[in-house]
Amino acid sequence: MEIAYSSPSFIAPGSHALFLVSTENQVFLSHELQRVLERFGMSSEFVSIAHLYGQRASATLREKGDPFTEPPVAHPLEDWCERSYEERAPIYEEVQQWARAYLSDPRIHVLFVGNDVNSIEQIFLRTAERYGIRTVRFQDGIQNLRKNRRERDLRQPSLMPLIPCEGGAERYLLWSEHLRGEFEEAHLPGTVSVTGSMKHDDLQCLSRYIERRSPGQIRVGVAGQPFFRYGDMWAVQELSLYEHIVNLLLIRDEISVIFRPHPESAGRESYEALFAVYGGRVVLDKSPSLAAFLEEIDALFTVTSSVSADACAVGIPAYTLPYLRSPRTHEEVRQQDHTVRSAVQDEGFPFSSHQLSSAQPEKYAEKFVGIVDGGARERTAACLSEELASGKEVRSLSVVIGTEGADPVASLQTVLRALPHADGSGCECVVLERSPSGGMLTELLEKQGWFQEFSSLRFHRSQEGSLLGGLRELLPTLCGRDVLYLEAGTHLLPGAPVQLQHLFHGGEGDEDAYGAVSSWFLGRTSTEVAEGVVEIPPFLSLAELESFQSFGMTSYCFLTSREKLQAALTNEAKIHGPASLVLLSHLLQATGEGLCLYQGPLFATPYFSGSGGSEQLAALMPWYERRFRALPRLEEGEVLSRVMQHMREQRYVEAKELIVEYEKANELSEQLLYARALLEAKSGRRFEGIRDLEALLERNPSHRDAGALLEHLRMLKG
C-alpha cells in the first residue's frame, strides 16, 4: 500500500495525476499539462467519458496512440443530451461506484478536469475530494459563469451534494482577468489563478494580421458549433443556421467562405452537401491546425464559438452572432441581419465596426484570452508548483480518529495523505475505538496491511467505552504538540492540517491564538461566506454551540494543543450531548479562549448533526452520502425492518435517512418513533430521542420498551 504525502503543492514529484477528458480540445490541453508534470517527475493517465457524452476524446486518444480507461456502463445512451436526469440516473450510479473504486488508488495525487459543472465530472471531483486528491480545473474555452446561470444549473438534483466544494475544483486555471471576475462572481470556493491559455501559446508564432491576405479577395472563416450533438438543435436547424450565416456573407462578390466544423460536430458529410451548391465560394476547412486555419482568413464569423477569441488574439476581426440562437421576434432578427449585411458591405470591412461584437480584436482578445505572449505554459507550471518551496508543512501533529464501530478507512485515506511520512516529522494517526465490538475493526485494518505499512498509525480501544475516557487514556502516549480530532467518516480536504495549524498558532508564530480551530462553510449560495474567520466566544452554552454548528461548522472536528486538551479532560462539569460536541464544549470552558472557525471547506462530513435549524439547512445541503434518486415509496413495515437491520449493522446514517424520507409523507407510528429514539441512543446522540419517547408514551402509556428506555436516558442525563 503506497500512499503519497499530500504535498501543499499540486505538484508532487514521483506521484500520479489523472486527466478526466471528454472532448478533443481537452485532450490537447491535457497533453500540454502532461508535459508540465513530466518536468517534475510525475506520471499521469487518461480517463475518458466521451463514450457517455458522445464526444471525441476517446477517438482522439486512439489516433494519438495514448492509452486510456473508460468507466464501464451496462447500457450507454446514444442521445445523452436529449435524456432527462432521471433517464441518466442508472449511468450516474454505475459511474459513481466505478469512480470510488478507481480513485481509491493511493498513488493518485491530483485530478485535472476541463469541466466542473456536469454531473459526471462532479462525481469524479467529489470522489477525489473524499480521498484527499487535489483537484484542478483548466479552462478549455470561453466560459460564461454569471451567478444567476450558475445557480440555475445547480438547482438540478445532484448525485453528490453541493458541499463542501459544490461541484467546483480546488484550483482554477483561467485565461484572463475578466474571466476570473466571472468565476469569483459565482462565489466558487476554489482558488482562481490567471495563467493565460496554453492553447494560444502556439499562436505566438503567427504574424499579426494587419491587411487582407489577397488583394481583391476577402476570405471569411465561419466557425461551427455542435448544437445538434449537444442537444440544443435538431440537425436540420443547425444546418439551416449556418446556411443563413453564409448567405449573409455572400452578398458581397469578393467574399469566399471557409467553414470550420467544430471538432465535436457530427455530420461533416451533411455540411459538404449543403455547401456544394455555392460553386466553390464555400469550402470546408481542411487545415491541420487552428493556427493554419487562422493564417487563411481575413475575418471570422460565429454564433458564440471561442474561435472568435482565437482569431482576435492574432488581430483578426471576429464577429459573434448570438441573436441567431436566442428567443427573438422575426422583426428583431431582420434588424440584426440588416446590421450584419451593412458591416459586410462597408468599404472598410473587415476592420470597420458597425456595432458588431468583437470588431476591435485587441479589446476582445484582452477580455477573453488575456495575454498572448507564449508564456502560459510557464505560468501554469509556476502556479501548480508555487507552494513547493513555500516552507508550509504539517508539524508535530497527532490526528485522532474517534469511532464507535464506524468504518474509519475513508478518514484514514485522507489523513495519511495529509501527514508527512518521514521519520522525525512528529506526526502520527491514532484510531480511537470506543465500541465493545472494536476487535473486528482492528482485524480489518491488520488484514489490509495498514499497521505494517505506516509506522505512524496505531489503534487504541477505550477501556471506559467513552470518548472522554478514551482520550484520557490516550493523551499521555501522543507524540504531537497539536491534536486534530476527527469523527470517523469525516474526510480531511487537501491542505486542511496546514491551514488549521497556521490559524491555531496565530500565523507564523508559535503562540496559540484560540482554544481550538475548526472550519465554517455554507457554500457559494450563502452571502455570509467571505475571507477571514469567525470567532466564537467561550461562554456559549452547549445548546447554543450545537445550534450554531448546524448553520456553520462543517463538522465537530477541531484542532487544539495537547496541553489544552488535557485541561478539557480534567473538566468535571456534567454536560450531556453528542460525545464530540461535549468534548468541544469542555475545551472552550477549560481554556476560556473561544473557537476560531475558518471560512472555507476543510472537512467533508457524512451528514450535519445538531438541532435548531437543521431542517432548513438540509434543504440546501443534503447529507454527504445521499443518493441522486428519491427513495422508493415503502410501506411502514418494510421501513421498520430496514431501519432495524441498518442499526444492527451500525449503519446509522442510512437508518436515519430512511426515517426522514418516510416522515416527509407519513406520520410516524409508535414503532418508528421508538426506532428513531433507539437509533439516536445507539448513534451517540442519546438524549435527542427523549422527545420521541415522550410523544410515544402520550399516545400509548403502556408501551413498556419506550418507558424503560426513557427511564434509562433520564437517569443518564441526571
Side-chain angles (χ1 to χ4, degrees):
M1 189 185 306
E2 187 178 327
I3 292 185
Y5 165 53
S6 183
S7 164
S9 166
F10 291 89
I11 297 289
S15 66
H16 195 64
L18 208 63
F19 290 97
L20 184 68
V21 294
S22 62
T23 68
E24 180 178 300
N25 190 39
Q26 288 174 5
V27 171
F28 169 79
L29 291 168
S30 295
H31 280 139
E32 296 292 324
L33 285 164
Q34 269 189 321
R35 285 189 273 274
V36 171
L37 300 183
E38 287 168 0
R39 288 161 48 183
F40 294 93
M42 287 184 66
S43 59
S44 59
E45 64 179 289
F46 288 96
V47 170
S48 172
I49 52 176
H51 63 304
L52 304 177
Y53 291 155
Q55 295 176 329
R56 282 192 43 80
S58 297
T60 304
L61 289 166
R62 287 191 193 96
E63 292 167 4
K64 295 181 178 298
D66 291 327
F68 62 93
T69 305
E70 293 179 333
V73 294
H75 303 289
L77 301 173
E78 294 294 329
D79 48 355
W80 177 269
C81 292
E82 297 177 22
R83 298 303 184 105
S84 67
Y85 193 96
E86 289 71 23
E87 289 174 310
R88 301 173 189 171
I91 290 180
Y92 290 145
E93 188 170 45
E94 289 180 276
V95 171
Q96 176 175 309
Q97 295 303 319
W98 185 87
R100 284 187 173 179
Y102 200 80
L103 270 66
S104 66
D105 181 348
R107 298 176 305 126
I108 301 172
H109 174 69
V110 60
L111 170 70
F112 289 92
V113 299
N115 180 302
D116 69 332
V117 175
N118 294 340
S119 292
I120 289 179
E121 284 84 354
Q122 284 194 39
I123 290 170
F124 277 86
L125 286 164
R126 300 287 70 77
T127 304
E129 185 179 86
R130 290 165 61 91
Y131 292 123
I133 296 170
R134 315 300 297 269
T135 57
V136 178
R137 178 183 175 179
F138 56 87
Q139 183 181 339
D140 66 343
I142 294 179
Q143 313 299 321
N144 179 17
L145 274 183
R146 296 197 180 279
K147 184 177 180 182
N148 57 356
R149 175 174 180 255
R150 186 82 184 192
E151 290 178 353
R152 183 180 69 245
D153 291 343
L154 290 176
R155 279 202 293 268
Q156 300 180 49
S158 290
L159 184 61
M160 307 293 272
L162 309 183
I163 296 299
C165 285
E166 299 192 278
E170 186 184 353
R171 176 64 64 94
Y172 291 82
L173 306 179
L174 301 185
W175 294 355
S176 71
E177 290 293 338
H178 172 79
L179 293 169
R180 180 210 290 269
E182 288 204 349
F183 270 68
E184 291 180 343
E185 182 185 345
H187 298 294
L188 295 168
T191 301
V192 178
S193 299
V194 176
T195 59
S197 168
M198 294 184 294
K199 169 184 174 182
H200 294 104
D201 276 359
D202 292 337
L203 302 183
Q204 186 65 17
C205 62
L206 300 183
S207 58
R208 190 93 184 151
Y209 179 79
I210 56 175
E211 60 184 359
R212 293 180 186 174
R213 309 290 185 186
S214 303
Q217 184 180 6
I218 304 174
R219 286 179 288 187
V220 178
V222 175
Q225 288 179 280
F227 294 124
F228 169 62
R229 171 65 65 83
Y230 290 173
D232 292 335
M233 297 180 181
W234 298 113
V236 67
Q237 291 173 313
E238 182 181 311
L239 292 171
S240 298
L241 172 69
Y242 289 113
E243 183 180 31
H244 182 79
I245 294 174
V246 166
N247 288 334
L248 289 175
L249 296 172
L250 294 184
I251 60 170
R252 185 165 176 169
D253 293 339
E254 304 100 299
I255 288 180
S256 60
V257 173
I258 304 174
F259 182 81
R260 181 177 174 84
H262 192 281
E264 303 296 324
S265 288
R268 187 180 180 93
E269 299 80 5
S270 299
Y271 284 122
E272 289 176 342
L274 174 68
F275 297 136
V277 301
Y278 289 97
R281 291 186 67 190
V282 183
V283 298
L284 260 65
D285 175 50
K286 297 181 180 178
S287 305
S289 66
L290 172 63
F293 168 67
L294 295 177
E295 285 189 305
E296 293 291 321
I297 63 174
D298 298 290
L300 184 112
F301 278 73
T302 183
V303 180
T304 54
S305 171
S306 61
V307 178
S308 59
D310 304 336
C312 287
V314 294
I316 297 172
Y319 302 88
T320 57
L321 310 173
Y323 74 93
L324 291 176
R325 61 165 303 197
S326 59
R328 302 295 180 92
T329 65
H330 286 288
E331 178 61 22
E332 288 172 329
V333 171
R334 188 191 67 77
Q335 291 176 359
Q336 292 281 356
D337 283 350
H338 175 74
T339 302
V340 174
R341 290 191 186 97
S342 298
V344 170
Q345 291 176 316
D346 189 271
E347 183 179 349
F349 180 80
F351 292 104
S352 59
S353 173
H354 282 257
Q355 298 180 338
L356 290 180
S357 60
S358 61
Q360 295 177 292
E362 293 78 9
K363 291 184 178 180
Y364 190 77
E366 181 182 354
K367 181 177 181 180
F368 289 106
V369 179
I371 301 173
V372 180
D373 58 0
R377 291 182 182 89
E378 292 305 315
R379 285 190 292 272
T380 299
C383 172
L384 293 176
S385 62
E386 65 186 359
E387 293 172 303
L388 270 179
S390 68
K392 293 180 181 178
E393 60 180 12
V394 183
R395 53 180 181 172
S396 191
L397 177 65
S398 294
V399 181
V400 178
I401 301 174
T403 176
E404 193 170 12
D407 182 1
V409 170
S411 300
L412 281 174
Q413 283 262 25
T414 56
V415 168
L416 291 172
R417 285 180 187 275
L419 297 182
H421 299 163
D423 293 337
S425 65
C427 295
E428 64 178 340
C429 178
V430 185
V431 178
L432 173 59
E433 172 63 76
R434 48 187 202 273
S435 167
S437 59
M440 297 174 60
L441 180 57
T442 313
E443 293 175 10
L444 171 67
L445 296 175
E446 287 178 344
K447 186 177 180 180
Q448 294 180 344
W450 289 90
F451 299 117
Q452 294 87 339
E453 181 68 25
F454 302 102
S455 59
S456 60
L457 172 64
R458 55 194 173 96
F459 184 90
H460 179 85
R461 187 185 304 171
S462 170
Q463 300 301 311
E464 291 189 25
S466 68
L467 175 59
L468 296 180
L471 285 172
R472 289 189 188 102
E473 301 160 6
L474 183 61
L475 195 62
T477 70
L478 298 180
C479 70
R481 173 191 168 179
D482 296 337
V483 179
L484 173 58
Y485 177 76
L486 303 176
E487 285 287 324
T490 297
H491 311 266
L492 275 181
L493 297 187
V498 169
Q499 182 65 50
L500 289 168
Q501 282 195 320
H502 181 78
L503 285 172
F504 184 67
H505 293 293
E508 300 301 325
D510 290 327
E511 182 178 349
D512 302 344
Y514 303 97
V517 294
S518 187
S519 77
W520 145 296
F521 186 65
L522 285 179
R524 84 167 59 84
T525 57
S526 168
T527 57
E528 301 298 327
V529 176
E531 292 297 324
V533 299
V534 176
E535 297 186 11
I536 308 303
F539 50 78
L540 287 183
S541 68
L542 182 117
E544 290 171 323
L545 186 62
E546 185 176 19
S547 176
F548 183 81
Q549 184 271 349
S550 299
F551 287 100
M553 291 177 64
T554 312
S555 170
Y556 288 127
C557 309
F558 58 87
L559 181 141
T560 188
S561 69
R562 190 169 56 178
E563 179 183 351
K564 292 182 179 181
L565 185 58
Q566 177 67 56
L569 296 175
T570 57
N571 189 337
E572 299 296 334
K574 296 290 185 181
I575 302 176
H576 300 288
S580 53
L581 182 60
V582 170
L583 173 61
L584 184 58
S585 185
H586 274 305
L587 180 63
L588 298 186
Q589 290 183 13
T591 62
E593 293 176 322
L595 173 70
C596 167
L597 293 183
Y598 170 71
Q599 294 193 74
L602 295 182
F603 304 110
T605 190
Y607 62 90
F608 290 79
S609 55
S611 61
S614 58
E615 292 80 13
Q616 300 95 308
L617 185 70
L620 292 174
M621 298 179 285
W623 292 351
Y624 196 76
E625 297 290 342
R626 184 180 293 278
R627 299 297 187 265
F628 59 94
R629 286 183 292 189
L631 293 171
R633 186 173 296 278
L634 300 176
E635 298 299 325
E636 179 190 327
E638 189 173 359
V639 172
L640 183 61
S641 174
R642 290 193 185 186
V643 167
M644 300 308 291
Q645 178 66 28
H646 287 333
M647 280 198 282
R648 284 192 292 272
E649 296 170 355
Q650 297 182 345
R651 294 163 59 191
Y652 301 129
V653 172
E654 289 91 337
K656 185 169 183 176
E657 185 175 15
L658 273 169
I659 295 175
V660 168
E661 290 294 329
Y662 182 81
E663 191 178 19
K664 288 179 180 178
N666 306 274
E667 183 180 0
L668 295 186
S669 66
E670 293 176 11
Q671 291 87 344
L672 282 173
L673 280 172
Y674 176 76
R676 183 163 68 182
L678 187 62
L679 167 64
E680 298 288 9
K682 284 179 173 289
S683 62
R685 295 170 51 79
R686 295 181 183 138
F687 309 113
E688 293 296 316
I690 289 178
R691 193 176 304 167
D692 282 338
L693 293 171
E694 291 172 342
L696 193 165
L697 289 169
E698 282 184 11
R699 292 192 206 173
N700 181 6
S702 62
H703 197 297
R704 293 178 60 185
D705 289 339
L709 180 57
L710 180 60
E711 182 180 354
H712 176 69
L713 293 177
R714 284 174 172 168
M715 181 183 68
L716 290 176
K717 193 172 183 180

